[in-house]
Amino acid sequence: MATTTSIRTFLGNRLWTAPCSRLVQQHNNILSGQPVGQRLLFSTTSQVTYAKPASKKGGAVPVEPKALLGRPSNNLKIGILGVPNIGKSTFFNALTNSSVPAENFPFCTIDPSEARVVVPDDRITWLTAHYQPQKVTPAFLTVIDIAGLVRGASKGEGLGNAFLSHVRSVDALFHLCRGFEDPGVTHVDGSVDAVRDLETIHDELLLSDMDTLSKVHQEYEKIAQRLGAGKTGNAVEKKKRDDFPTISKLLAWVEEGKDVRTGDWTNEEIEVINQQYLLTAKPMIYLVNISEQDYLDLAKQPHPVIERIQDWIDVHHPGDLLIPFSGSFENQLSLFEDAPEEKEMVLEDASKQAGVKITSALPEIVVRGREALNLQQFFTAGPGEVRSWTTRTKALAPQAAGVIHTDFERGFIMAEVMKMDDLKELGSEAEIKAAGKYYSKGKDYQVEDGDVIFFKFNVTNNKKK
């Protein structure tokens, strides 16, 4: 925590004044149609702590669960974002084993491609071996390949407005950076500079949010001034009046060059934020696409581009995750998806060349993407089917039951829960019950990642007389 504070203080004293004034000026230039400057500097906070409310009687007081930024859905999507010609479509092809175009020119991907990727999970593999079911249904992550953004996208450059709408439609982002040199693959800016590309994307997302919030602020301000504190106005207008202070706070936040996702917002403020679909409110994971040889050499020597990007993240977004991978290597491996023995031979050859065990980076990328979306899995298991179900983290038992069927949530009675570690250790439901580790949970139970659950419910149809 002390490190974060010192970084924040350093940025406040050394870097803030000029960059933030340039950011606001750049936003004003966009609104007026004037040229936009080349580079912005901005900072974020990284950690949020929440105070526990005091009890009037001195006893324990339940703490309201912290609301999550983003859509309240279990069917969330993650987008692949970056400037053109950095390997987004190649990464998408390898990740989904599909075949979208991956040509060497900007805007090759115009309409975003979408695919579902199986989430690697050793737990469902174990459950399958244990129950020998007739059917197995794993969890999936929906991935969107978004076309490349260029500087000036927030004011329509390239295919800017359309691309930003694609970014708005996803719930988290893989921010892909180019860390390889290849004269045969052109760069939209004429040279390879990963940090410049990072700043291009972050600037455009931030400027787009600034534009969105400026328009909302103007609308809400007029309504707030007209209604005042009185009781006039319809329900929609009163809601906008009440939300105006939060919109003002949000606008000031982004004008200081800070992503919305890094703020310490109250649950009431998060409700307002989620209605705006802001681009900088989305979780982000940084992926660095390096050459195959550089990927194999990572254990021997640090990669200069990865170090530069990590330094940039440590200053601007401390705590965010960076994962290096090789698009060309992963694409090669994906050709052997139907031939696991040959795929294993390729990995063995790569490991011998590198002198360390080489594995695909894609399973970790998929799992981390799911975590960025605040998603978790619970399981239903038996000889008929072993299935992984997806919920938001901290979902209550009735909400989790509703993922299976709405009747399960409507007529929820209880959830009978086994912990995965207990099932592995004790070997059967009977042994878990004998050990007193078979739990009956009510509607206030927060489902945990990896729970094996049997729901009890009862729905009575009320017939009209």
Side-chain angles (χ1 to χ4, degrees):
M1 198 65 172
T3 302
T4 304
T5 304
S6 64
I7 290 174
R8 192 180 308 151
T9 303
F10 170 75
L11 289 168
N13 292 340
R14 294 284 300 280
L15 294 178
W16 268 121
T17 306
C20 291
S21 62
R22 285 203 303 273
L23 185 61
V24 176
Q25 182 59 50
Q26 195 165 22
H27 172 242
N28 293 336
N29 289 346
I30 287 176
L31 295 180
S32 63
Q34 297 178 25
V36 177
Q38 179 64 20
R39 184 173 184 269
L40 306 177
L41 292 174
F42 54 89
S43 166
T44 68
T45 58
S46 64
Q47 295 185 0
V48 178
T49 56
Y50 308 115
K52 203 169 185 178
S55 169
K56 294 180 180 179
K57 298 182 179 180
V61 175
V63 179
E64 182 183 8
K66 189 67 176 178
L68 298 174
L69 288 171
R71 294 187 297 134
S73 171
N74 302 311
N75 301 311
L76 303 178
K77 302 176 182 180
I78 189 164
I80 305 170
L81 180 67
V83 299
N85 287 6
I86 58 172
K88 293 188 304 300
S89 294
T90 300
F91 168 63
F92 180 83
N93 289 341
L95 190 65
T96 64
N97 201 24
S98 62
S99 56
V100 301
E103 305 298 334
N104 176 28
F105 56 87
F107 314 124
C108 171
T109 306
I110 296 177
D111 293 324
S113 300
E114 178 174 336
R116 292 203 310 164
V117 184
V118 173
V119 177
D121 196 332
D122 292 338
R123 298 170 300 187
I124 197 168
T125 303
W126 188 92
L127 288 169
T128 300
H130 181 72
Y131 284 99
Q132 297 293 311
Q134 298 175 7
K135 182 181 179 182
V136 178
T137 306
F140 293 92
L141 179 69
T142 302
V143 182
I144 310 291
D145 180 20
I146 301 171
L149 286 178
V150 296
R151 186 171 297 279
S154 57
K155 61 185 184 72
E157 292 293 331
L159 299 174
N161 291 330
F163 291 173
L164 288 171
S165 70
H166 295 155
V167 178
R168 203 177 308 279
S169 70
V170 301
D171 303 281
L173 295 165
F174 287 133
H175 189 159
L176 194 62
C177 310
R178 177 171 169 175
F180 65 91
E181 291 281 356
D182 186 343
V185 180
T186 60
H187 191 286
V188 69
D189 288 330
S191 62
V192 177
D193 186 334
V195 171
R196 177 197 60 207
D197 294 347
L198 279 175
E199 292 175 342
T200 293
I201 297 298
H202 279 84
D203 295 352
E204 295 306 322
L205 299 184
L206 201 60
L207 288 164
S208 177
D209 280 356
M210 213 178 290
D211 183 48
T212 298
L213 288 169
S214 292
K215 293 174 181 177
V216 174
H217 186 273
Q218 291 175 8
E219 176 192 354
Y220 285 23
E221 184 178 33
K222 291 178 181 178
I223 294 174
Q225 289 175 346
R226 178 164 55 84
L227 297 186
K231 297 182 180 180
T232 58
N234 58 41
V236 174
E237 289 178 325
K238 290 178 180 177
K239 179 71 166 60
K240 291 180 179 180
R241 177 196 61 191
D242 295 340
D243 291 348
F244 176 63
T246 299
I247 295 297
S248 299
K249 184 177 178 180
L250 280 168
L251 180 58
W253 184 267
V254 297
E255 284 182 341
E256 289 179 354
K258 295 182 283 190
D259 285 5
V260 172
R261 66 190 173 97
T262 63
D264 181 6
W265 311 107
T266 66
N267 285 359
E268 291 75 16
E269 290 169 337
I270 289 174
E271 181 182 350
V272 177
I273 292 170
N274 287 343
Q275 296 167 1
Q276 307 304 321
Y277 300 99
L278 299 171
L279 305 185
T280 64
K282 303 178 186 298
M284 189 172 291
I285 295 174
Y286 298 88
L287 306 179
V288 186
N289 184 12
I290 58 179
S291 70
E292 179 177 343
Q293 189 59 54
D294 287 342
Y295 183 69
L296 299 182
D297 291 340
L298 279 180
K300 301 176 183 177
Q301 57 189 12
H303 193 283
V305 175
I306 293 175
E307 288 193 323
R308 284 190 65 212
I309 294 173
Q310 187 63 64
D311 290 342
W312 187 91
I313 293 172
D314 289 343
V315 172
H316 298 284
H317 294 274
D320 279 4
L321 182 65
L322 181 154
I323 303 175
F325 78 103
S326 170
S328 59
F329 181 68
E330 299 294 349
N331 200 44
Q332 179 185 350
L333 287 179
S334 71
L335 301 177
F336 299 101
E337 284 301 315
D338 296 328
E341 292 182 359
E342 294 182 36
K343 181 178 180 179
E344 190 60 33
M345 288 177 61
V346 173
L347 289 170
E348 287 179 2
D349 290 343
S351 299
K352 289 178 182 178
Q353 181 181 341
V356 296
K357 183 174 177 59
I358 297 296
T359 60
S360 169
L362 298 188
E364 181 186 6
I365 290 172
V366 173
V367 170
R368 296 298 188 181
R370 183 198 67 164
E371 292 174 354
L373 290 166
N374 290 301
L375 297 176
Q376 64 179 11
Q377 316 305 135
F378 73 90
F379 303 97
T380 52
E385 181 181 19
V386 166
R387 182 159 183 166
S388 179
W389 302 90
T390 299
T391 70
R392 297 299 293 270
T393 55
K394 300 182 180 179
L396 298 179
Q399 297 170 334
V403 174
I404 300 175
H405 197 284
T406 54
D407 283 351
F408 281 39
E409 180 174 8
R410 186 158 61 95
F412 177 85
I413 297 174
M414 70 169 62
E416 296 182 347
V417 181
M418 295 185 290
K419 298 300 180 181
M420 192 70 199
D421 289 343
D422 293 337
L423 184 56
K424 285 183 177 181
E425 178 185 352
L426 299 173
S428 71
E429 180 179 320
E431 292 297 326
I432 289 176
K433 288 180 176 178
K437 295 184 176 181
Y438 192 85
Y439 307 108
S440 296
K441 299 292 186 179
K443 63 181 181 179
D444 295 329
Y445 174 66
Q446 286 189 355
V447 173
E448 297 180 356
D449 188 49
D451 280 353
V452 182
I453 306 179
F454 176 76
F455 291 104
K456 290 186 175 181
F457 72 105
N458 181 46
V459 175
T460 303
N461 293 320
N462 295 322
K463 297 181 180 181
K464 294 182 178 180
K465 295 181 179 180

